Amino acid sequence: YMRPEHFNGHTSDAEVKREMLQALREEGWEPLFAVEDRSDVAAMWREEGILCLQCDKIDFKTTTTWSLSDLE
């Protein structure tokens, strides 16, 4: 599953992933868990009843700049 083309660059990741989850469920799949770093998306997974393993707590709404060294 990739980001659907009908979403523009202003659609939040949480909205995109929620729609992708709905598509999976419509096809008969039920994810056991998700691995996520973004706090808003992790909250969405949990709202949808999916166990979310949050590997980092990144809030891109408040982070204005970052570099590759921030990921280490």
Side-chain angles (χ1 to χ4, degrees), residues 6-23:
H6 66 272
F7 282 115
N8 59 33
H10 302 290
T11 305
S12 75
D13 286 342
E15 291 176 65
V16 172
K17 290 183 180 184
R18 187 182 309 269
E19 184 173 302
M20 293 170 72
L21 174 62
Q22 290 170 349

Side-chain angles (χ1 to χ4, degrees), residues 12-14 38-41 58-64:
S12 75
D13 286 342
R38 295 178 181 219
S39 297
D40 59 332
V41 181
I58 297 175
D59 185 359
F60 285 105
K61 292 177 185 171
T62 60
T63 303
T64 56

Side-chain angles (χ1 to χ4, degrees), residues 13-52:
D13 286 342
E15 291 176 65
V16 172
K17 290 183 180 184
R18 187 182 309 269
E19 184 173 302
M20 293 170 72
L21 174 62
Q22 290 170 349
L24 283 168
R25 286 176 166 164
E26 288 171 5
E27 293 178 12
W29 297 97
E30 184 61 34
L32 299 176
F33 65 93
V35 179
E36 187 62 58
D37 58 353
R38 295 178 181 219
S39 297
D40 59 332
V41 181
M44 180 280 302
W45 289 121
R46 293 175 180 131
E47 288 168 7
E48 291 291 335
I50 304 294
L51 172 67
C52 183

